[in-house]
Amino acid sequence: MDIRLDGRRAIVTGAASGIGAAIAQSLSESGALVFLTDRNAAGLKTVAESLAGPSAQAVVDFMDDDAGERVVAAAVEAFGGVDIVINCAGVLETAPFGEMTATLFDRIMKINVRGAYTVTLAAFPYLSRGSAVVNIASGNSVLASPGGSAYATSKGALVSMTRGIAADLSPMGIRVNCICPGPIETPLLESALADPEINAMIVNAVPAGRVGLASEIAAAATFLASDAASYMYGASINVDGGTTAVWSPAAPGTSPEE
Ligand SMILES: NC(=O)c1ccc[n+]([C@@H]2O[C@H](COP(=O)([O-])OP(=O)(O)OC[C@H]3O[C@@H](n4cnc5c(N)ncnc54)[C@H](O)[C@@H]3O)[C@@H](O)[C@H]2O)c1
């Protein structure tokens, strides 16, 4: 399927790295004008320079209360409006439950949840019939892992947020959907994947037998952003090598006999 987004104006948060960078690349190849935002200025510049088509950018940190409004204001100034919002910025910060703090919880929720909510809220006045919002949640929204209680909370919230906002915007023909990626090879998972034991544990949990590529999430995001997904409203799609849907043998060493 040749997906075209010619002239559509897209905001991509978390665009300096990993999945966000791959989505920016894919939207640009499909003809969209891409507004990139991230807290990482150097990464943003590198990604912007690698894009096939026109782009603009702003360095914004979602720890700032007015970040969402600033992102949208800068995108509107650059392109005159917004048709697509991709909420991808996120952090995976973990701690065993006994070592969790309210401060860390607030930080994860502010970046992963409030960031996406406030960008969408600020973009709403510019969205119209045929516009699309895509939130990048996680398989951790349904399958939690140790130390990730706050992260899982934030990703579950993103799935519910997708449905909640879709309830209001669907009648206007504005489609709000989300993607739940499984383990994807990006800087977010770099240290875990570099440890052979953790790497094997992660791969063993994936029925497809490998971690995913950022481009595989970008393909789903580009589809959801396009008219090809014209009957998708409030959906949450798993792009995870089967991790959350298919039974897979337990990793060695996990049976009670061993
Ligand atoms: N990699 C995976 O296995 C995986 C799996 C499921 C979901 N996800 C989700 O996908 C999204 C992208 O992750 P990724 O794997 O590409 O990781 P990544 O670390 O490569 O990219 C995340 C980006 O978000 C930006 N960011 C973080 N905090 C920010 C803040 N306060 N303000 C502005 N920007 C900020 C980072 O600078 C970075 O560029 C995240 O929401 C993550 O939770 C990733």
Side-chain angles (χ1 to χ4, degrees):
M1 188 190 310
D2 182 25
I3 290 178
R4 295 308 310 167
L5 296 168
D6 297 303
R8 303 273 177 101
R9 299 154 297 184
I11 293 174
V12 181
T13 77
S17 171
I19 294 170
I23 293 174
Q25 199 82 52
S26 172
L27 296 180
S28 181
E29 281 163 10
S30 299
L33 311 175
V34 187
F35 187 84
L36 311 152
T37 184
D38 203 290
R39 66 179 170 187
N40 171 356
L44 267 188
K45 191 166 174 285
T46 307
V47 174
E49 285 169 1
S50 76
L51 295 184
S55 68
Q57 53 185 285
V59 179
V60 173
D61 189 328
F62 283 115
M63 286 303 288
D64 296 339
D65 285 347
D66 62 350
E69 292 92 322
R70 278 170 38 219
V71 166
V72 173
V76 169
E77 195 181 331
F79 297 136
V82 183
D83 306 296
I84 295 167
V85 177
I86 311 283
N87 289 308
C88 186
V91 285
L92 170 57
E93 290 171 8
T94 59
F97 190 66
E99 292 167 27
M100 269 304 292
T101 61
T103 307
L104 181 54
F105 179 86
D106 286 347
R107 179 181 148 72
I108 292 170
M109 295 298 281
K110 190 161 188 182
I111 298 169
N112 293 6
V113 182
R114 189 181 186 279
Y117 195 90
T118 53
V119 169
T120 309
L121 192 58
F124 173 59
Y126 301 97
L127 301 180
S128 57
R129 187 163 288 279
S131 292
V133 176
V134 180
N135 296 320
I136 307 301
S138 169
N140 279 99
S141 57
V142 292
L143 193 66
S145 47
S149 59
Y151 183 74
T153 304
S154 74
K155 293 302 182 177
L158 269 174
V159 174
S160 284
M161 177 203 298
T162 299
R163 296 188 190 118
I165 299 177
D168 282 342
L169 304 200
S170 299
M172 302 169 198
I174 300 168
R175 297 178 303 97
V176 185
N177 294 290
C178 83
I179 298 172
C180 293
I184 306 298
E185 200 175 332
T186 72
L188 189 100
L189 277 196
E190 203 166 33
S191 61
L193 294 175
D195 179 321
E197 212 170 298
I198 301 177
N199 187 309
M201 211 170 69
I202 291 173
V203 172
N204 280 337
V206 184
R210 63 172 177 86
V211 295
L213 303 174
S215 59
E216 292 176 298
I217 305 304
T222 304
F223 164 70
L224 286 175
S226 78
D227 295 342
S230 54
Y231 201 48
M232 298 198 65
Y233 287 81
S236 159
I237 57 174
N238 303 329
V239 184
D240 63 2
T243 310
T244 54
V246 177
W247 179 83
S248 170
T254 55
S255 85
E257 295 82 39
E258 290 177 46

